[in-house]
Amino acid sequence: MAAAGETPGYVLTCGEVRTGLLPTRHCLDGRGAARLLALRTDEQVRVSERPNLHARSPDVLTGVDCRLPTANDAKVRAIGTVAARAVLTEGRVLQATAYFSAPAEGLDQRQPWGYYLVRPGVLVPLGRLPERAVAAGFLARDQSAFPSGELGVGSIAEGLFGQLSRHPLLDHEVPFKSRRTRLRWAALPVQDGAGASIERFTLDDDGLRTIELRLPRSTEPTAVAGLCEDLALHDWLLTTVVQKFDGIRTGAAEDRAVMKVVRPLVDHLLHLWMPRARVDRTLSPLWEVLETEPGFTRQWRTLVQRIRDQLTLQAIAAPAEASTAP
């Protein structure tokens, strides 16, 4: 067992990202984004304007003493803090993330809270951590109905998203309707000699996405969270545009209805596609996996071309309709 005062390496990092449209008609500028994400008075919101407007809140901590989900129903107790933060992209898309890391070896007995508070975002198990069983349980568990006393990271992310959505800066008049998505991840260490990899990426109809990663032990948990936020953002963009186009009929009689769908997408979403813009460079190659299968950017370009085609057809049709009007 690790002794109190030691800082063991992490063998597991897990988290969940909630992604959705900021509930306000107009995008927030950098100053408004900083006000929205000011979760703490002792740390500033990080705002950058290149290559796009991006704001990230400081982390806030939630203390927990609970069981961890496991695939084999083993009882694993862990104590520590879950870190949560929020990100706003171009003043339009809001994300709330909750995540934690855990060492392979825990302690013989529970320590005073001071021990855990100096390890932000770390859950320390009592005894040895069965990291593979916990990773599998975390990805598989329906956290909307998790057992009493079991860790629910998704509820922490959801609570932060809801808190920010009620901010007085927002008017709650969205430019179009959309659904939120959830991306849940678990990262385990790579095997000797292997490189970082995406072992599994799944899409469910209820808006849940799960991703299992293999990463070097030296990877910082905040970098893993940044990668997953980037994946979640672009998955949400794809999902939203696909859903808006789903079921639309084209033709002269439907032109007005089509444009009612297309214009908000052009105004608010099309310029947000920038994969890997803020992903740690050591993790950036993992995007290549998603570019190959299922082909995120290829699908996005196809959707953008459909939107442009609709705008072109509308531009051609408008003068013709005007010339035939009585």
Side-chain angles (χ1 to χ4, degrees):
M1 298 291 180
E6 292 182 358
T7 305
Y10 306 132
V11 296
L12 178 66
T13 299
C14 297
E16 186 163 320
V17 189
R18 302 295 173 100
T19 305
L21 196 68
L22 188 69
T24 190
R25 179 165 296 278
H26 301 291
C27 301
L28 296 185
D29 59 13
R31 184 175 299 178
R35 287 181 59 192
L36 176 73
L37 302 185
L39 301 181
R40 293 170 52 174
T41 58
D42 59 336
E43 284 192 41
Q44 292 186 339
V45 176
R46 296 184 179 182
V47 180
S48 59
E49 298 181 351
R50 301 289 185 274
N52 58 9
L53 181 61
H54 182 272
R56 191 181 80 192
S57 78
D59 283 1
V60 291
L61 303 178
T62 300
V64 298
D65 181 346
C66 59
R67 296 195 308 273
L68 298 180
T70 57
N72 56 8
D73 293 324
K75 290 181 172 57
V76 180
R77 180 184 172 190
I79 307 101
T81 57
V82 175
R85 70 188 193 188
V87 170
L88 187 64
T89 301
E90 282 291 350
R92 174 48 68 197
V93 181
L94 177 65
Q95 295 181 281
T97 303
Y99 64 101
F100 69 90
S101 295
E105 292 285 345
L107 304 171
D108 292 317
Q109 59 185 1
R110 194 186 192 283
Q111 301 298 308
W113 269 112
Y115 173 86
Y116 304 104
L117 291 177
V118 297
R119 295 164 173 79
V122 176
L123 298 186
V124 181
L126 290 182
R128 183 169 180 80
L129 180 76
E131 63 268 16
R132 293 184 181 278
V134 173
F138 182 80
L139 293 176
R141 183 77 82 219
D142 177 7
Q143 293 194 5
S144 64
F146 57 88
S148 176
E150 189 172 284
L151 177 65
V153 170
S155 63
I156 296 175
E158 180 65 26
L160 179 56
F161 196 106
Q163 172 191 334
L164 294 174
S165 296
R166 295 187 295 271
H167 197 284
L169 272 176
L170 311 179
D171 59 25
H172 304 283
E173 296 183 7
V174 293
F176 57 88
K177 293 182 179 179
S178 63
R179 301 176 187 173
R180 295 183 197 171
T181 58
R182 299 172 290 149
L183 186 143
R184 186 181 302 161
W185 83 83
L188 293 163
V190 297
Q191 300 298 319
D192 292 340
S197 64
I198 295 176
E199 297 294 299
R200 179 163 58 98
F201 180 61
T202 65
L203 304 175
D204 294 336
D205 293 337
D206 64 353
L208 175 65
R209 288 81 170 94
T210 60
I211 185 165
E212 182 179 343
L213 302 163
R214 295 288 187 275
L215 302 174
R217 287 177 181 266
S218 60
T219 306
E220 290 290 334
T222 186
V224 185
L227 168 69
C228 293
E229 286 164 348
D230 195 56
L231 297 178
L233 170 64
H234 291 86
D235 169 72
W236 180 85
L237 289 171
L238 271 176
T239 300
T240 300
V241 174
V242 168
Q243 289 175 346
K244 301 305 288 185
F245 265 101
D246 188 31
I248 288 181
R249 296 189 303 168
T250 59
E254 290 80 25
D255 279 349
R256 185 170 297 178
V258 170
M259 295 309 298
K260 192 174 181 179
V261 171
V262 167
R263 288 192 181 280
L265 300 181
V266 174
D267 292 340
H268 298 280
L269 298 188
L270 293 196
H271 60 292
L272 301 186
W273 191 264
M274 293 186 185
R276 296 180 281 190
R278 291 180 175 84
V279 174
D280 187 286
R281 65 178 57 187
T282 63
L283 301 179
S284 183
L286 290 176
W287 251 101
E288 296 300 330
V289 178
L290 299 176
E291 297 292 30
T292 303
E293 180 65 37
F296 269 38
T297 297
R298 183 170 62 249
Q299 184 180 8
W300 179 258
R301 287 172 178 167
T302 300
L303 291 169
V304 170
Q305 188 58 53
R306 287 185 62 191
I307 292 172
R308 289 174 175 167
D309 290 344
Q310 290 299 323
L311 293 173
T312 300
L313 290 173
Q314 180 70 11
I316 294 172
E321 292 175 1
S323 63
T324 58

